[in-house]
Amino acid sequence: MSEPEILPWDRQDREPEKAYGYFVLYRDLGRTRTVAKVASEVNKSRDYLHKLATAWKWVQRAAAWDREEDRQYVEGLAEQRRDMAKRHARIASALQAKIVARLQSLDASKLSPGDIARWLEVATRVERLALGLPDSTTAHTGPDGGPIRAEVEQMTEQQRADFFRALMAEAAARAGQANPTAGPDDPAGDDEREEGAGGASTED
């Protein structure tokens, strides 16, 4: 069985225990470390500690320690970001399901152009959250570059209803709903309508 590797910040071969103790004090002072600070702390002469520092390469070993600390910090930060992204994805997925349930409780024929435009805005914001993008305001436009509200106002009542049902189906698909347009006789549809009928969720 091979001997474990001696890392630069570990006690070196033949390094006296007391000398290593002084090095640890120096190492743990951080990037503002100096031999003078160690000398003051242990009440030893600077010349004596400078000789130890030169003989046992304190500067190089402490620099290696700093690099290792940096590496561990970057890895920890990346792990935290991955965890955050997973949490945000779960939250976005749950939010999508809530919105789909609320959409299914609404009567598309009673929605005004402004209502449809607002639901489109909500659906877009949820999609951005699910993709981990910033929750920023997005300007929605019609085919001619004009406001989406103006486009909806030109629709007939049937076209508005069809437009809203398409929006609901798309939101349901993103939320993983198997049957976004369940009818009155569909038990799943009843459950989802009951969940949405109460308005906004009070869950945290």
Side-chain angles (χ1 to χ4, degrees), residues 104-151:
Q104 291 176 337
S105 71
L106 300 176
D107 185 348
S109 65
K110 296 181 180 179
L111 292 175
S112 69
D115 292 333
I116 295 178
R118 281 192 293 273
W119 277 112
L120 183 60
E121 171 71 18
V122 169
T124 303
R125 291 180 65 189
V126 171
E127 181 181 22
R128 293 179 64 83
L129 286 171
L131 293 175
L133 298 174
D135 181 20
S136 59
T137 302
T138 304
H140 301 291
T141 59
D144 60 352
I148 188 69
R149 178 173 184 138
E151 180 189 357

Side-chain angles (χ1 to χ4, degrees), residues 56-183:
W56 295 105
K57 298 180 173 61
W58 284 11
V59 174
Q60 296 90 329
R61 292 164 67 189
W65 170 263
D66 290 340
R67 289 192 296 271
E68 176 63 13
E69 290 276 282
D70 290 344
R71 184 190 66 80
Q72 292 184 12
Y73 173 78
V74 170
E75 285 188 357
L77 191 61
E79 183 64 27
Q80 290 178 16
R81 286 174 175 169
R82 285 193 291 268
D83 291 343
M84 181 181 67
K86 291 177 183 177
R87 288 197 306 273
H88 286 180
R90 288 195 296 268
I91 292 171
S93 178
L95 180 58
Q96 284 179 321
K98 293 290 185 183
I99 289 177
V100 169
R102 185 73 180 101
L103 289 173
Q104 291 176 337
S105 71
L106 300 176
D107 185 348
S109 65
K110 296 181 180 179
L111 292 175
S112 69
D115 292 333
I116 295 178
R118 281 192 293 273
W119 277 112
L120 183 60
E121 171 71 18
V122 169
T124 303
R125 291 180 65 189
V126 171
E127 181 181 22
R128 293 179 64 83
L129 286 171
L131 293 175
L133 298 174
D135 181 20
S136 59
T137 302
T138 304
H140 301 291
T141 59
D144 60 352
I148 188 69
R149 178 173 184 138
E151 180 189 357
V152 173
E153 285 177 343
Q154 296 171 7
M155 295 180 181
T156 65
E157 184 175 314
Q158 183 59 46
Q159 287 173 329
R160 290 180 191 174
D162 292 342
F163 177 83
F164 185 75
R165 277 194 292 270
L167 171 61
M168 185 176 69
E170 183 179 354
R174 289 173 182 158
Q177 300 290 325
N179 188 8
T181 56

Side-chain angles (χ1 to χ4, degrees), residues 39-60:
S40 176
E41 187 168 338
V42 300
N43 198 27
K44 296 289 183 180
S45 73
R46 295 186 184 182
D47 288 344
Y48 168 68
L49 290 178
H50 271 298
K51 289 178 181 178
L52 288 179
T54 301
W56 295 105
K57 298 180 173 61
W58 284 11
V59 174
Q60 296 90 329

